[in-house]
Amino acid sequence: MTTPDLRRRFDERAIGAGTTPRFVLLVILLLVSSGSMMISVSLTRRLSETDANSFGCMLAAGVDPNRIDDMASSIGMVLHAEALEACQARYAPEPPPDLLGLLWPVLVLLASALVFRALPAWKMWRGRHVPLEDVDRTGEIRSTLHEAAAQAGLARTPRFVVAPTALSAGAAVYGSNRRPTVCLHAGLLARRSGDPEGFRAVLLHEFAHVRNGDVTLTYATVALWRVFLALVLLPYLVWCVAAIVTSFQSPIRHAEQMTVWRALIVSAFLTVLVYLARADVLRMREVYADLAAVSGGADPRGWAVPVPPGPEGRLRRGWARFVEVWRTHPRWDLRRGALEDPAMLFGVQALPMLLTGIAAPVITNQAGTLLGGGSGGREYVVPLLGAAAVTAVAGIALWRAVAHAVLTERRVLSGVRAGLWLGAGMAVGAVATQQVSTTRWLPPHAEVLAAVVAAGVLFAWWIAESSQLWLRAWPRRVRGPAMLLVMAVGCLLLTAWMVWWDTFGINLVGGWFDMDAARRETELTFPGPVAEHQGMVFALSVWFEVFTGFIQPLVLAAVCALCVVPLLAWTTGRGHREGQASGESTAEESRPALPPLRPVLLAALLGGLASWVGIAVAKAYLHTWQPPSGQRGGLYSVSLSAWMLVVLVTFSATTGALLANRLGRYPLYSTLLTAEITALTGLLGAHLLMSVDGCIEPLSTLASTCHWVPSPAWTVTRPLLAPVLISTALVVTVAATAVLAFQRLRGRDQRHSVAARQPESRRRLYLRRTAVATICTVVMSATVAAAAETDREGTSGEGLENRNRAYSQVPRAAAGTPVIQRAQLEYWLKFGGGDLLNRFGDAHHALGDAFTKGADAGGIIEESAFEPICRKFGRIAKDAGKYFPIPDARADEQWQQHNALMQKAAKSCSHSFDQGDEREFNKSMDDIDKAAAFSEKMGRRFDEIRAAAPNPSP
């Protein structure tokens, strides 16, 4: 074999092994999943009236649990949210936290600690290991071992045992970092005299495990895995099987079975994820131990183990790579390759990225079950946990890959391909974990999952480019703070994305978007000449449904950090090539310069001025349909803001893309930074133009006379801050993708697009830092102002009323089966409808008694006898308006007429006594009799529904 060149350009240990974050992901997966799974198991034990009543409230609202993903079958939950909340608060109050689910992760940790402690004794007993002293009577072997331990740099010699039945020429280390035990195989002791160098190489490899401190990590991983299988996965699978068997007797069989099958899929995903995370930790430790052993003086020929030649053909090689990720020990040819070139340690593999992406929704789903929902800060805890786990694994893997490429002067990965695999994993996990669909395998609008993939691409792409920027600008020996800064921003980006996805994205992919209802809501919210501008109404409807969910402070903070944090790299003074006095290696001295800031500022200025012209053109267009004074709010005002938004985002993204293509490097960040500065420059122009609105007749929109009004103009441009900043960032992703694709088609290499420069003067460095400070101040100030505006706006009661009015016209689907229809009726009656009908019956009976008493008294109608009864009818009608409609179209039509007559009769009755009008009193009594007739019709309809299906036993 080829002797490896041990004079590598750098020590691979300087970048870090990268196994600790994977171990952390493993621990998070195990603990969160343990609690969530055992909550499901414990629910079988305490499945109770509370859980049934929770479903009952939804049934009473007209929801079909078997088709809960269909908006037409579940719209009642939205339109009658207050009634649903009141029903659940009364009949299905939130139970206290499940102590079993909360304590089970602690139990898993304690059991893992016990298994970890017992593993050395177990391995000793199972392998029949004996102390080395029983074999080495003369102490000759111990002397060699102590010499090798000193050569490996161990401060304390570990304990040695012998496996007399193991004939292989190998060894193993187990125990912990503080108390390691090295097991020598009998075959290795036999090899000592014939091949002393091979014997020493094996020893140095095992001692490297001890020196690297990965013994505890390895066996903690093994202990966690075994405890998870025994204490969590096994009872969970038993629960799944039992739940499937019992579901056949449920009226909501389909919903329950889909839930259980998805639970099985999630458990399979978890098992695969945990196993691969464990295999990766164990596999990487072997390669790092090999490198440490060779660096410590081991003969590389010890790794010259005969292996068959590698597979030929793309498919076979791909299969070999797939099989490799499942192995706990790497193949010998890969281990030899790592000695010659350790680049394999820093590659970003597709399958681990895919599985890490799947882990994100799995963690958030399981953590949501374990921790529950909440308001305030709690709603961010679950997304933060998933984002932190992905960042710790995928983000650090990207950092390590970029660091290796920069230090070895290799081509730096863009991160796009890794992001595609990461995003694909997040999309698969979202479908598998029931986030986007409960009763279907695929959501109604699966195309929206492309946004999930795009989020993974944006995260990985930004991490790769920012890592390269900081690695080229930051001193080599103290890059830890720079890495933490980049990872923190990546985590913030993913957290913002997950919060949006959990609150808005799942509604889009789940089909909770009706274009006609959205158009009606826009017309109600922004009145104006709708018929003449249907295109504008349509565009606004799409915007408010799809994009306004991004307008929130957390997303603004993420956009600000994406721009500002990489920009700080220009303040280090290391953006240009430095001389020999810097003390850096040759690779450090010849690295390309960071992109200059002057072209960015110049392009942003020119693009901003161009957008001023675009805004003027938009104002001229809007002037052509300017309404009379006093009627320029509503649709006209929001159309003005919409056109300014379109102009600013279009000009900003185009300017950023053109400059990024010219610079040739960092296409995403160059486009983003330039576009955001351009957008802010354009907003300044919009504010100035609105301040003189009315002074130039063809450009007049909201004003008719010429005045300098900067303060009122700010009320127009201020609400645009957040939409412009966030929309620009969203569109920049598409523009930067086009730039990257164009560069790849032209075959441009980022490594040579910018020439290295000589050291710059203090004056130029001062000017550059001043420019960076100015840009950061402007961007952060705009972000704070935009965040304050989003907090101030909120959602008004009128907005909710308009939304309910718009969506109330969405056709409601009938129950899928007669059994569900009867269950809906029975729960409607049980949780309030029956009480309303009984109250009406009692009041009607009391009214009859009052008439009887009046007849006995000579036909005299006493106000004191009838007026309280009339008030009862009014209260019944009022309470009925707060309750659910009857979940049957025919019965509900009769119910609404019944309630309208009650309300009318109650008012007429009271008014008749005030006015002394006997005819009005008699008319109110006729209305009561008509309401009673409707009540009888409803009863007959209820009997028809009951006769069509067996008793669902609510």
Side-chain angles (χ1 to χ4, degrees):
M1 71 179 260
T2 305
T3 302
D5 181 9
L6 301 182
R7 297 170 298 176
R8 290 184 295 276
R9 191 179 300 274
F10 72 101
D11 186 355
E12 70 285 339
R13 290 175 296 178
I15 299 180
T19 53
T20 301
R22 293 176 175 87
F23 178 74
V24 172
L25 175 64
L26 172 65
V27 173
I28 292 175
L29 276 171
L30 286 174
L31 296 183
V32 171
S33 302
S34 298
S36 175
M37 287 179 169
M38 295 315 296
I39 283 179
S40 299
V41 174
S42 66
L43 282 178
T44 301
R45 172 178 51 83
R46 65 186 192 99
L47 190 58
S48 59
E49 184 180 359
T50 299
D51 304 293
N53 287 349
S54 180
F55 261 114
C57 288
M58 290 192 291
L59 286 165
V63 176
D64 185 346
N66 288 328
R67 300 189 299 178
I68 200 171
D69 292 323
D70 297 331
M71 182 170 63
S73 298
S74 305
I75 193 67
M77 289 193 300
V78 178
L79 298 179
H80 311 289
E82 293 183 0
L84 181 63
E85 183 178 353
C87 177
Q88 291 183 334
R90 180 178 179 182
Y91 296 102
E94 185 175 352
D98 188 348
L99 294 180
L100 180 62
L102 296 175
L103 295 178
W104 205 264
V106 179
L107 177 61
V108 169
L109 280 179
L110 293 176
S112 299
L114 292 176
V115 172
F116 176 79
R117 291 292 185 186
L119 274 175
W122 166 257
K123 294 182 74 68
M124 284 277 295
W125 177 82
R126 189 186 64 172
R128 300 178 182 179
H129 299 167
V130 297
L132 177 62
E133 292 78 5
D134 295 348
V135 177
D136 182 25
R137 302 293 184 180
T138 62
E140 182 180 356
I141 299 177
R142 277 174 291 172
S143 176
T144 304
L145 295 176
H146 284 289
E147 180 183 348
Q151 181 181 354
L154 299 184
R156 185 173 57 182
T157 304
R159 178 192 178 200
F160 295 100
V161 296
V162 177
T165 59
L167 302 181
S168 61
V173 58
Y174 55 84
S176 64
N177 294 334
R178 296 182 60 184
R179 301 180 62 185
T181 298
V182 177
C183 176
L184 307 175
H185 295 179
L188 179 65
L189 295 180
R191 182 184 180 185
R192 181 176 64 89
S193 57
D195 184 11
E197 290 299 326
F199 177 76
R200 183 176 294 274
V202 173
L203 291 179
L204 290 175
H205 173 88
E206 300 304 328
F207 291 155
H209 285 307
V210 179
R211 183 181 178 186
N212 291 344
D214 61 16
V215 181
T216 296
L217 189 78
T218 299
Y219 286 95
T221 303
V222 173
L224 278 168
W225 168 249
R226 293 180 179 179
V227 169
F228 175 76
L229 291 178
L231 293 186
V232 178
L233 189 59
L234 182 60
Y236 187 69
L237 293 177
V238 172
W239 169 80
C240 288
V241 173
I244 290 177
V245 173
T246 58
S247 67
F248 287 99
Q249 303 174 359
S250 172
I252 53 173
R253 176 191 312 169
H254 176 70
E256 289 188 3
Q257 289 180 350
M258 285 294 295
T259 300
V260 176
W261 282 114
R262 288 182 183 276
L264 284 170
I265 291 175
V266 170
S267 64
F269 271 132
L270 285 171
T271 304
V272 171
L273 286 170
V274 170
Y275 180 85
L276 289 176
R278 166 181 172 269
D280 187 63
V281 170
L282 300 179
R283 191 168 56 249
M284 285 296 102
R285 69 189 277 273
E286 294 298 327
V287 178
Y288 271 92
D290 289 343
L291 291 168
V294 173
S295 298
D299 188 351
R301 290 175 296 181
W303 281 260
V305 179
V307 294
E312 298 181 358
R314 180 175 298 181
L315 291 177
R316 292 186 178 181
R317 288 196 299 270
W319 175 253
R321 288 193 296 268
F322 174 79
V323 172
E324 179 63 20
V325 300
W326 299 83
R327 297 164 57 96
T328 56
H329 277 66
R331 301 195 312 265
W332 280 105
D333 57 335
L334 295 178
R335 295 173 70 171
R336 289 201 306 267
L339 293 179
E340 298 174 4
D341 183 5
M344 65 163 288
L345 297 174
F346 307 99
V348 180
Q349 302 296 327
L351 185 59
M353 294 297 287
L354 176 70
L355 294 172
T356 302
I358 295 174
V362 168
I363 288 175
T364 55
N365 182 68
Q366 304 283 37
T369 303
L370 180 61
L371 302 177
S375 58
R378 289 187 61 189
E379 62 184 315
Y380 300 107
V381 172
V382 171
L384 177 61
L385 185 60
V390 173
T391 304
V393 177
I396 291 179
L398 288 164
W399 171 276
R400 296 175 68 252
V402 172
H404 178 263
V406 169
L407 294 175
T408 57
E409 300 183 44
R410 303 188 184 200
R411 188 172 184 273
V412 179
L413 80 166
S414 67
V416 173
R417 181 177 298 178
L420 285 171
W421 285 107
L422 179 67
M426 292 194 295
V428 171
V431 173
T433 56
Q434 204 170 319
Q435 278 191 352
V436 297
S437 181
T438 303
T439 58
R440 300 178 179 179
W441 289 112
L442 287 177
H445 291 282
E447 66 276 4
V448 180
L449 292 172
V452 183
V453 180
V457 172
L458 177 61
F459 168 80
W461 195 357
W462 186 90
I463 288 285
E465 287 197 358
S466 298
S467 299
Q468 185 179 1
L469 278 167
W470 279 102
L471 286 163
R472 296 192 185 282
W474 198 261
R476 179 176 179 180
R477 295 178 181 84
V478 287
R479 282 174 174 153
M483 183 190 73
L484 292 177
L485 191 62
V486 172
M487 294 303 113
V489 177
C491 184
L492 176 63
L493 172 63
L494 276 183
T495 303
W497 159 259
M498 291 181 181
V499 169
W500 176 85
W501 178 256
D502 290 342
T503 52
F504 293 92
I506 57 176
N507 291 333
L508 294 177
V509 73
W512 285 78
F513 171 66
D514 185 274
M515 196 61 243
D516 291 335
R519 178 183 52 78
R520 288 192 295 269
E521 182 182 359
T522 302
E523 294 173 358
L524 291 170
T525 307
F526 305 105
V530 173
E532 301 175 9
H533 302 281
Q534 286 295 327
M536 177 60 68
V537 173
F538 177 82
L540 289 172
S541 302
V542 173
W543 161 259
F544 284 111
E545 286 294 332
V546 178
F547 295 102
T548 52
F550 287 105
I551 312 302
Q552 51 180 303
L554 187 63
V555 179
L556 283 166
V559 172
C560 178
L562 293 178
C563 293
V564 169
V565 168
L567 187 62
L568 298 177
W570 272 263
T571 65
T572 61
R574 300 174 62 85
H576 302 277
R577 188 174 66 183
E578 300 180 1
Q580 197 73 4
S582 65
E584 297 287 346
S585 65
T586 304
E588 293 283 316
E589 296 162 7
S590 60
R591 63 190 174 192
L594 298 177
L597 287 179
R598 183 182 300 175
V600 173
L601 298 177
L602 180 60
L605 177 61
L606 295 176
L609 293 175
S611 66
W612 293 15
V613 178
I615 293 173
V617 172
K619 286 171 64 65
Y621 163 70
L622 286 165
H623 178 74
T624 60
W625 59 288
Q626 183 184 36
S629 179
Q631 301 179 19
R632 296 172 187 174
L635 181 63
Y636 183 77
S637 177
V638 76
S639 298
L640 173 62
S641 298
W643 274 112
M644 288 195 291
L645 174 66
V646 170
V647 169
L648 290 171
V649 172
T650 302
F651 277 80
S652 300
T654 303
T655 302
L658 291 174
L659 179 72
N661 184 64
R662 179 179 177 273
L663 293 177
R665 304 177 67 232
Y666 309 107
L668 175 61
Y669 184 66
S670 298
T671 307
L672 177 64
L673 181 62
T674 308
E676 293 293 354
I677 300 176
T678 303
L680 292 175
T681 307
L683 272 171
L684 175 62
H687 176 66
L688 294 176
L689 288 172
M690 292 305 302
S691 298
V692 296
D693 190 33
C695 294
I696 305 175
E697 180 61 24
L699 304 183
S700 298
T701 51
L702 300 181
S704 300
T705 58
C706 181
H707 295 285
W708 170 251
V709 285
S711 181
W714 178 239
T715 62
V716 176
T717 55
R718 181 178 59 188
L720 283 173
L721 270 173
V724 167
L725 290 173
I726 294 174
S727 300
T728 299
L730 295 174
V731 177
V732 155
T733 306
V734 180
T737 302
V739 172
L740 181 63
F742 182 71
Q743 291 177 348
R744 292 292 174 87
L745 289 175
R746 294 184 60 186
R748 296 181 63 174
D749 193 339
Q750 294 186 30
R751 290 177 296 173
H752 304 294
S753 57
V754 178
R757 300 182 181 181
Q758 296 300 321
E760 58 188 353
S761 64
R762 289 182 177 271
R763 179 176 176 274
R764 290 178 62 85
L765 178 60
Y766 173 77
L767 291 176
R768 182 149 53 88
R769 288 177 173 174
T770 302
V772 170
T774 303
I775 296 172
C776 292
T777 301
V778 171
V779 173
M780 294 176 67
S781 300
T783 302
V784 172
E789 179 67 16
T790 57
D791 283 340
R792 186 182 66 84
E793 288 180 353
T795 302
S796 64
E798 183 180 357
L800 292 175
E801 181 181 352
N802 289 336
R803 188 170 186 84
N804 286 342
R805 287 175 59 191
Y807 274 84
S808 64
Q809 300 182 37
V810 174
R812 301 182 65 172
T817 64
V819 174
I820 293 296
Q821 187 176 26
R822 177 168 181 177
Q824 291 175 340
L825 172 63
E826 299 294 355
Y827 275 109
W828 183 87
L829 291 168
K830 178 181 179 180
F831 289 158
D835 179 64
L836 292 170
L837 290 173
N838 290 334
R839 287 168 60 190
F840 173 79
D842 293 342
H844 192 262
H845 182 73
L847 185 65
D849 291 343
F851 272 112
T852 301
K853 293 179 180 179
D856 294 340
I860 300 175
I861 304 298
E862 296 287 346
E863 179 181 354
S864 59
F866 286 89
E867 207 275 336
I869 300 175
C870 291
R871 286 201 303 268
K872 286 184 179 180
F873 286 116
R875 286 194 295 269
I876 296 169
K878 182 179 179 180
D879 292 342
K882 297 178 181 179
Y883 190 57
F884 306 115
I886 298 178
D888 176 74
R890 287 172 53 189
D892 187 59
E893 182 180 0
Q894 298 163 355
W895 175 243
Q896 298 305 324
Q897 295 180 24
H898 174 276
N899 294 333
L901 287 169
M902 269 200 306
Q903 191 172 24
K904 179 183 176 183
K907 291 181 179 179
S908 299
C909 178
S910 299
H911 187 264
S912 67
F913 287 114
D914 294 338
Q915 302 296 324
D917 190 341
E918 183 178 352
R919 293 179 59 187
E920 186 173 3
F921 174 79
N922 292 333
K923 190 174 184 305
S924 68
M925 294 301 101
D926 291 339
D927 289 337
I928 293 295
D929 291 337
K930 292 178 182 178
F934 278 116
S935 180
E936 294 176 359
K937 291 181 181 179
M938 286 187 292
R940 289 193 293 270
R941 176 58 183 162
F942 293 168
D943 292 338
E944 293 176 5
I945 294 174
R946 290 188 177 104
N951 186 6
S953 299

